[in-house]
């Protein structure tokens, strides 16, 4: 317990903090909302705080007060963000408010005034500081964790939990999150690991958001309100996102919208028909104009003289026409979310082709001067490669694209101009919704399907809320608007469900890593490290789940006792009879599975026999027809590795030692007759694949080059002249293999049937009634055993993974045999934070890169950060020279050895290195111009710059960890890569 003097001192600090809060509120340019005041009061009281509020609600005010309090009390404040763009933006905001001398910036590629009392940084930078014991942490009083819901991110989320766990107890943590449904659970965990924490949840949007759908030229409200006069008997046609009682307003799906969609479908089918009585749409002359509207766009009341035209037009308008409509109705500026980079660029092209101008020509001239100044450091030749002319022409007319494939400098220009209100429309991918402060009056969603890197998936309610949350600028707009474009496969009910859902749980993605393990052992020792990991949010959620599972187990046991009594039989032991029945049922199911396994084995055998150049006929998939084999199955990708096969695609097998065994799973890479690269495993094939012909694959064939793919597909079609009758049809039925094991299974089933018939209970007249209770008992028994296994797997689950990682590190010599001390190898691993941290350490250990020159080293290191999208994977990427090729092959061999060890220790297998970037990185590091670097490459400029910066980051780590010549080479490689467009957006 604190002494009286300590309590008195604490009370004085709280009193002083309250005075600082009064001054902060008085200096605020706007009146603070209640949730903002409560958050600031919690900070002033010395508590941690979690603020969960919608995008644009103003939750960052609480973080800004923590910064204010730090400066007023002589302490430091760190403001952490998940992405560099948001760090840059926040650095600019705080520098404007407190002065450049008081604020610093630390990101992966920028270091500005890092010892300032207020430092903005990415979360990874703070994590690295904590593990290294940086002196910069001295005097730290506050850490603001903006966008803390990022801890659910699969790749970067674990860093947030590491920071929260390892920060000194004296540091107050201010967590700012989007609205999540389990904020209280997250707050409970914060209180458990950080001490008193106040949870503040705000669901009210300061700027109301109206939801709409655009059908043809008509813009319709998604919901209409009506008074709920009779409670549950009130008629509704859509979901109501709020609990309401009699006399309160409820929201239901707009019947005008439903009718408009039905009419549009009729027009699409070629049927005639007018709008009927529900053809009403947005009245362009409604009050509000360009300065914000005072009511929903449409309410389902009143007429609309243009409704017949709207329903008889095509169901979906073009982008230019859509923007014209929004501009006419005062709904710009707008962000149009298109889940495609190509689509974003096409949006700009379409507006340019239509001669659209959204801003005055004089403003366009000023924008051109602004852009010219911002890109002055870039070479004219590089600007032409980057499509600069189209980019600047769109900006001078008031519109632009924004996506991760753009040069970062271009993206920042778009962000600055849009925030200043100087351009009116941005076509963007979802990356724009990730934290960057770019609100608009209107947000448009073209589709509700996006590609997640592996497949096309539906937008989740949380993503929908994050995207539409950009609509409505506080202090500028009276209300915001979200517009979803209708198409024939989209039902209004689907949009209503997304808009109404309020369940967005925050789930931990925390997992121990090799780097984390050696850092924990080095700082707190093995035993204490396990306890530290037990404090993670991941284990907290797992333990809470165990409580619910244990309750279910108890309920199941009570029910099983009742079932046991109900199946009592006067002729004998019915539970024994029931066990025989259950065992026989299980044996029959196993036999079915074995037959299916035999069929899969037959398909697998056929795939193993295929060689590059074999032509097969595919009956399964979206494009049945001829396909040519590009890679042999023993070189195909490992599950989850992201690594394609490495055959030379010219009939040569290659060295299969570079990949670890993966059971019976085989996979071949094919080129279809439609010139698409496709990987096929036994499930995809559906039947054995046998060659129907053979062609020679040219040595210069490049599967990433569309022209190469088309040429090879044409060659295949031309050379394989067999008729369709010769293509293999469905696999003929084959007899079940008569192996000794299958005979044994057959005999066991016959024995069980005999025992069942001989059992006394088999003759019971109530046998089937007893059996029904027995089946319920067995169902509960299986469920209960499964629950027990889940409880066992969740209890201390994080610590068990940590122990397995430490055992592997002991085996490799990074920890001493007891696992309590870090060896010299382990100290090197402590500074390697890459995704493939252990593979990087092993490459250093074995001198894989010692003989390389700077450009070749950069190319080799790029193989450790490149993870291509599945459809872009090149099974045989070109290499810049023999040295890089040899180094890459050695890296693959090391990875295979590690993968085998990881599998043996029941650890996830890390992704294999990928040489898809090696050639372009080598060209760039060797000093070539951007146009020459990206020739014959589908890599976008933004992706190229991002990968180069990741390569530079890893090269920096290599330089710190290496000795002698390699350290100097790594430093030279950093300088070689960090030039031109790669260095253009770095802050000095």
């Amino acid at each position: 317990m604190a002494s009286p003097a300590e309590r008195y001192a604490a009370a004085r600090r709280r009193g002083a903090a309250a005075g600082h809060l009064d001054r902060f509120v008085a200096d605020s340019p706007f009146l603070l909302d209640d949730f903002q005041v409560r958050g600031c009061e919690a900070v002033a009281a010395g508590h941690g705080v979690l603020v969960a509020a919608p995008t644009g609600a103003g939750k960052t005010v609480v973080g800004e007060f923590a910064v204010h309090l730090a400066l007023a009390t002589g302490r430091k404040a760190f403001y952490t963000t998940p992405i560099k763009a948001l760090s840059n933006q926040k650095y600019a905001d705080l520098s404007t408010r407190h002065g450049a001398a008081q604020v610093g910036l630390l990101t992966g590629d920028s270091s500005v005034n890092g010892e300032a009392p207020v430092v903005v940084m990415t979360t990874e930078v703070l994590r690295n500081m904590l593990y290294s014991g940086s002196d910069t942490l001295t005097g730290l009083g506050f850490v603001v964790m903006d966008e803390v819901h990022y801890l659910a991110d699969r790749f970067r989320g674990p860093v947030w939990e590491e920071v929260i766990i390892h920060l000194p107890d004296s540091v107050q943590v201010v967590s700012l999150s989007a609205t999540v449904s389990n904020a209280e659970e997250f707050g409970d965990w914060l209180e458990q690991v950080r001490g008193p924490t106040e949870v503040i949840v705000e669901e009210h949007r300061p700027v109301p958001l109206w939801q709409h759908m655009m059908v043809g030229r008509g813009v319709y409200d998604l919901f209409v309100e009506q008074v709920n006069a009779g409670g549950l008997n009130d008629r509704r046609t859509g979901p109501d996102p709020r609990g309401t009682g009699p006399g309160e307003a409820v929201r239901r799906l707009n019947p005008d919208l439903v009718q408009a969609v039905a009419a549009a479908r009729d027009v699409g089918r070629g049927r005639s028909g007018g709008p009927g009585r529900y053809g009403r749409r947005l009245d362009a002359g409604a009050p509000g104009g360009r300065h914000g509207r005072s009511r929903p766009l449409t309410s389902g009341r009143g007429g609309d003289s243009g409704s017949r035209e709207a329903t008889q037009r095509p169901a979906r308008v073009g982008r230019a026409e859509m923007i014209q409509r929004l501009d006419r109705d005062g709904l710009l500026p707008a962000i149009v979310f298109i889940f495609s980079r190509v689509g974003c660029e096409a949006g700009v092209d379409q507006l340019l082709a239509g001669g659209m101008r959204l801003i005055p020509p004089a403003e366009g001239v000023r924008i051109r001067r602004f852009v010219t100044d911002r890109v002055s450091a870039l070479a004219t030749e590089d600007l032409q490669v980057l499509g600069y002319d189209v980019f600047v022409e769109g900006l001078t007319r008031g519109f632009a694209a924004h996506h991760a494939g753009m040069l970062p400098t271009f993206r920042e220009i778009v962000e600055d101009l849009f925030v200043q209100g100087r351009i009116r429309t941005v076509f963007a991918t979802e990356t724009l919704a990730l934290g960057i402060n770019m609100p608009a009056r209107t947000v448009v969603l073209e589709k509700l399907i996006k590609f997640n890197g592996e497949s096309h998936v539906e937008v989740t309610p949380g993503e929908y809320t994050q995207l539409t949350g950009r609509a409505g600028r506080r202090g500028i707009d009276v209300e915001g608007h979200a517009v979803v474009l209708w198409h024939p496969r989209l039902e209004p009910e689907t949009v209503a469900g997304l808009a109404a859902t309020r369940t967005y749980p925050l789930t931990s993605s925390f997992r121990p890593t090799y780097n984390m393990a050696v850092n924990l052992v080095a700082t707190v020792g093995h035993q204490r490290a396990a306890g530290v990991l037990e404090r993670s949010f991941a284990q907290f959620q797992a333990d809470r789940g165990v409580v619910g599972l244990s309750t279910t187990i108890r309920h199941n046991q009570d029910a099983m006792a009742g079932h046991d009594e109900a199946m009592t039989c006067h002729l004998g032991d019915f539970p024994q009879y029931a066990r025989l029945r259950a065992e026989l049922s299980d044996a029959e199911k196993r036999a079915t599975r074995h037959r299916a396994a035999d069929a899969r084995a037959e398909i697998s055998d056929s795939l193993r026999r295929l060689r590059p150049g074999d032509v097969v006929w595919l009956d399964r998939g979206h494009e049945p027809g001829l396909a040519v084999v590009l890679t042999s199955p023993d070189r195909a990708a490992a599950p989850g590795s992201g690594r394609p096969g490495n055959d030379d695609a010219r009939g040569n097998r290659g060295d299969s030692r570079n990949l670890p065994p993966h059971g019976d799973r085989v996979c071949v890479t094919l080129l279809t007759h439609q010139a698409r690269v496709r990987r096929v495993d036994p499930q995809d094939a559906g039947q054995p694949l046998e060659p129907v012909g053979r062609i020679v694959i040219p040595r210069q064939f490049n599967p990433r080059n569309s022209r190469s793919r088309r040429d090879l597909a044409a060659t295949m079609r031309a050379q394989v002249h067999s008729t369709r009758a010769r293509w293999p049809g469905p696999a003929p039925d084959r007899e079940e293999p008569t192996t000794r094991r299958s005979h044994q299974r057959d005999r066991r089933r016959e024995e069980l049937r005999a025992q069942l018939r001989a059992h006394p209970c088999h003759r019971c007249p109530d046998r089937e009634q007893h059996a029904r209770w027995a089946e319920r008992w067995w169902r509960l028994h299986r469920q209960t055993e499964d629950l027990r296994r889940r409880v066992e797997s969740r209890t201390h689950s994080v610590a068990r993974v940590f122990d397995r990682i430490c055992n592997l590190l002991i085996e490799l010599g990074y920890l001493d045999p007891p696992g309590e001390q870090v060896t010299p190898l382990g100290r090197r691993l402590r500074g390697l934070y890459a995704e493939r941290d252990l593979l990087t350490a092993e490459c250093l250990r074995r001198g894989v890169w010692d003989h390389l020159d700077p450009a070749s080293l950069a190319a080799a290191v790029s193989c450790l950060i490149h993870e291509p999208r599945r459809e872009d994977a090149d099974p045989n990427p070109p290499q810049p020279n023999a040295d890089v090729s040899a180094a890459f092959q050695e890296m693959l061999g090391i990875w295979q050895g590690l993968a085998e060890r990881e599998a043996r220790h029941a650890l996830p297998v890390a992704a294999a290195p990928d040489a898809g970037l090696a050639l372009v990185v080598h060209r760039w590091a060797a000093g070539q111009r951007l146009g020459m670097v990206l020739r014959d490459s589908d890599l976008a400029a933004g992706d190229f710059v991002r990968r180069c910066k990741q390569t530079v980051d890893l090269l920096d780590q290599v330089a710190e960890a290496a000795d002698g010549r390699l350290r100097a080479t790594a430093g030279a490689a950093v300088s070689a890569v960090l030039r031109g467009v790669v260095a253009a957006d770095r802050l000095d």
Side-chain angles (χ1 to χ4, degrees), residues 679-952:
R679 284 198 275 283
V680 174
D681 60 19
Q683 183 176 353
D684 296 326
Q687 65 181 27
L689 295 184
E690 301 296 341
V692 298
R694 185 168 179 81
I695 63 174
V696 175
I697 300 177
R699 178 167 292 275
Q700 70 273 18
F701 172 70
N702 180 2
R704 299 189 66 183
N705 184 288
S706 59
R707 181 172 181 177
S708 290
R709 295 196 302 269
R710 289 194 300 269
D711 288 348
L712 184 59
T715 299
M716 172 180 61
R717 293 192 300 267
Q719 291 187 14
V720 182
H721 299 292
S722 303
T723 63
R724 177 64 182 89
R726 291 184 58 188
W727 306 146
D733 294 332
R734 290 169 169 83
E735 295 181 2
E736 184 176 355
T738 57
T739 63
R740 181 179 303 176
R741 184 174 298 177
S742 66
H743 283 311
Q744 290 173 345
R745 291 196 297 265
D746 292 342
R747 283 198 300 272
R748 180 55 183 160
R749 293 201 301 275
E750 289 303 320
E751 289 172 0
L752 288 170
R753 292 190 186 99
Q755 292 177 30
L756 204 63
R757 288 191 293 269
H759 198 283
C761 293
H762 192 67
R763 298 184 296 277
C764 178
D766 299 323
R767 180 186 67 191
E768 292 309 311
Q769 182 178 349
H770 296 330
R772 282 193 292 273
W773 286 108
E775 287 170 3
R776 294 170 187 169
W777 188 95
W778 275 102
R779 191 181 308 120
L780 283 176
H781 172 74
R782 294 189 185 97
Q783 183 187 72
T784 302
E785 290 303 306
D786 179 62
L787 291 173
R788 286 197 177 101
R789 286 190 293 270
R790 289 167 62 187
V791 167
E792 175 64 22
S793 68
R794 292 189 180 193
T795 305
H796 307 296
S797 55
V798 176
R800 284 202 302 273
V801 173
F802 173 73
D803 286 338
R804 293 199 293 269
I805 286 175
C806 288
N807 289 337
L808 176 55
L809 292 175
I810 291 170
E811 185 178 296
L812 290 170
Y814 290 87
L815 297 176
D816 68 352
E820 289 292 342
Q821 298 291 327
V822 176
T823 67
L825 284 174
R827 287 195 289 273
R828 172 183 283 172
L829 179 57
R830 288 191 66 187
L832 299 173
Y833 298 99
E835 189 75 20
R836 299 175 176 94
D837 48 7
L838 186 56
L839 177 56
T840 305
E842 284 290 288
C843 288
L844 285 169
R845 174 187 192 175
R846 304 188 193 193
V848 175
W849 306 319
D850 288 354
H851 63 289
L852 298 177
D853 60 50
S856 296
L857 177 61
V861 168
S862 76
C863 300
L864 296 176
I865 59 95
H866 185 47
E867 293 184 3
R869 288 159 63 108
R870 178 176 294 180
E871 73 275 17
D872 294 336
D874 185 346
N876 185 37
Q879 301 285 349
N881 55 47
D883 286 343
V884 174
S885 181
F888 177 65
Q889 290 302 318
E890 193 170 352
M891 291 161 67
L892 277 175
I894 295 171
W895 169 77
Q896 179 192 9
L898 289 178
E900 291 171 349
R901 291 175 186 268
E902 286 171 327
R904 193 163 61 246
H905 285 273
L907 292 169
V909 175
D914 190 292
L917 274 180
L919 182 58
V920 294
V921 170
H922 186 275
R923 286 173 176 171
W924 181 254
Q928 294 189 26
R929 285 291 187 186
L930 186 64
M932 293 296 292
V933 168
L934 297 180
R935 74 179 191 275
D936 302 325
S937 170
D938 295 331
L939 199 64
D943 293 329
F944 168 72
V945 170
R946 184 169 62 256
R947 293 303 191 195
C948 281
K949 289 183 176 180
Q950 291 171 335
T951 300
V952 165

Side-chain angles (χ1 to χ4, degrees), residues 90 219 259 314 337 509 525 540 628 729 779 781 888 904 926 959:
K90 203 64 199 177
V219 181
Q259 184 71 9
F337 282 111
S509 60
F540 182 83
V628 60
R779 191 181 308 120
H781 172 74
F888 177 65
R904 193 163 61 246

Side-chain angles (χ1 to χ4, degrees), residues 155-175:
F155 298 106
R156 302 178 59 195
V159 176
W160 297 86
E161 294 188 46
E162 288 182 79
V163 168
I164 291 170
I165 291 170
H166 292 302
L167 278 171
D169 293 339
S170 59
V171 176
Q172 287 178 243
V173 176
V174 177
S175 303

